[in-house]
């Protein structure tokens, strides 16, 4: 299996960016990931950060 380009911290930052109101398509395009991957990460890491 290939090693991921993204560690946990950048994934959480992407999720925070999305929660601030940036559309999913824009976040995915900016970081070069598919929307399916983004939603998989959101399900896995969505609860790991505090609300700021």
């Amino acid at each position: 299996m290939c090693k991921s380009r993204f560690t946990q911290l950048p994934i959480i930052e992407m999720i925070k960016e999305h929660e601030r109101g940036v559309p999913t398509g824009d976040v995915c395009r900016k970081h070069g990931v598919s929307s399916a991957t983004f939603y998989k990460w959101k399900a896995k890491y969505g609860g790991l950060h505090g609300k700021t």
Side-chain angles (χ1 to χ4, degrees), residues 13-42:
E13 291 300 320
M14 283 184 239
I15 294 169
K16 285 182 183 178
E17 185 177 345
H18 179 257
E19 289 176 348
R20 285 192 298 264
V22 180
T24 306
D26 292 347
V27 174
C28 293
R29 199 173 307 110
K30 177 180 174 184
H31 297 285
V33 297
S34 70
S35 59
T37 299
F38 176 79
Y39 283 118
K40 182 174 72 172
W41 286 343
K42 189 171 179 184

